Amino acid sequence: MTARIRLAGSGQDAVIEPAEVGEGHVLILDGAEQSHVDLADPSAIRHEYLRRVANVVDSLPAGPLRVLHLGAGALTLVRYVQALRPGSEQTVVELEAELVGWVLQHLPLPAGTRLTAVADDALAIVHQLEASSFDCVVVDIFTDTGPTDLGAPQFYTALLKLLTDRGVAIVNIGDSPGLQLFSRHAALMEGAAETAGMGGVWTLTDASMLAGNRPGNLMLAAGPGLSPAAGMDVSAEAQRWRAAGPHPSAVLDPDGTAELVQRFA
């Protein structure tokens, strides 16, 4: 099965087609593979950055979660959460108004998935939602060619306010050599977390990214859930994140994140 659409908002061409390697389908936006979905196994995650996000999600307390996804793609993480946490309440916010409906037409969600889809701007949404509404907020919209206004300090302040007392925010940064985008967002998230009394910011990435000489993805994680007060042994979980890979895997504690930011700021 292959499907195509021209997205009205951005003018990008979107394609869903069978994966060249292994099972499932991929979503391609303007020629770049953006998501992978295996309808037969929604727990399967092929992209390395999303596997690191899922590792953090797996550390949250057992049972259903309330999850906010800023950025839809092919809803790979929505499917993963439903598979491992049935009964979860999930909300996805996507600026491309027709993308979610088109994806679901060709790649349906597992039965029982509770999903609310909102076509809106992420910056506007985080200021409108009720405080302490989500156990997990996943942001997958930042690249070195993507939106810049979302990197304002107010965005991270509003984002962290959405978290419950066990909640975690996970932000994917797709950066180029020099890690300027990562450094900016890590510093902003650190400032918002410190002001909110939530502790520091953790970083999960491929170990080769720490040299800052190649493009790739770095995940930032912060929130009240990453603390002993929320019942999490963060040092033990960090070891598990590192062991879970994909390899070579690097997990930086808040001090390590701060050092990396200083190196490339």
Side-chain angles (χ1 to χ4, degrees):
M1 177 269 290
T2 298
R4 301 176 183 275
I5 190 175
R6 174 66 62 87
L7 299 173
S10 64
Q12 290 183 320
D13 290 318
V15 179
I16 293 174
E17 65 183 25
E20 291 186 359
V21 178
E23 302 297 325
H25 289 76
V26 294
L27 169 65
I28 299 172
L29 294 179
D30 263 11
E33 184 175 317
Q34 202 272 348
S35 302
H36 172 268
V37 169
D38 185 345
L39 293 180
D41 183 8
S43 67
I45 294 182
R46 188 169 79 179
H47 289 180
E48 64 90 11
Y49 86 90
L50 197 58
R51 180 64 260 176
R52 299 186 201 281
V53 172
N55 291 343
V56 179
V57 174
D58 290 345
S59 295
L60 293 171
L65 300 171
R66 289 171 290 172
V67 185
L68 173 65
H69 307 261
L70 300 182
L75 306 171
T76 306
L77 193 63
V78 171
R79 302 167 197 272
Y80 179 86
V81 170
Q82 170 61 21
L84 275 69
R85 312 280 192 129
S88 294
E89 298 281 353
Q90 303 190 70
T91 301
V92 63
V93 179
E94 171 58 52
L95 190 59
E96 295 284 0
E98 72 266 59
L99 180 62
V100 174
W102 177 74
V103 165
L104 293 180
Q105 178 184 351
H106 299 285
L107 300 172
L109 290 174
T113 304
R114 300 177 181 178
L115 178 67
T116 300
V118 180
D120 208 332
D121 177 79
L123 182 59
I125 284 295
V126 297
H127 290 283
Q128 295 171 11
L129 294 171
E130 185 178 349
S132 303
S133 297
F134 298 98
D135 302 307
C136 185
V137 178
V138 179
V139 184
D140 193 7
I141 52 180
F142 292 126
T143 68
D144 54 359
T145 59
T148 58
D149 56 340
L150 296 181
Q154 296 86 347
F155 174 79
Y156 281 103
T157 299
L159 188 75
L160 295 178
K161 285 182 179 179
L162 297 178
L163 298 175
T164 63
D165 58 7
R166 69 173 189 167
V168 175
I170 312 164
V171 181
N172 173 38
I173 305 293
D175 211 351
S176 46
L179 303 188
Q180 293 298 298
L181 188 68
F182 161 80
S183 297
R184 179 186 178 203
H185 282 269
L188 290 170
M189 194 173 188
E190 171 67 33
E194 182 179 358
T195 299
M198 293 183 179
V201 176
W202 291 74
T203 301
L204 296 84
T205 189
D206 187 294
S208 64
M209 287 296 297
L210 302 182
N213 56 11
R214 74 174 188 86
N217 298 79
L218 305 97
M219 266 48 64
L220 301 172
L226 297 180
S227 71
M232 182 182 291
D233 183 341
V234 188
S235 295
E237 289 302 307
Q239 292 179 11
R240 189 187 65 77
W241 299 340
R242 191 176 293 110
H247 301 290
S249 180
V251 177
L252 305 182
D253 64 14
D255 289 339
T257 297
E259 291 175 4
L260 189 62
V261 169
Q262 290 177 355
R263 194 189 319 165
F264 293 103

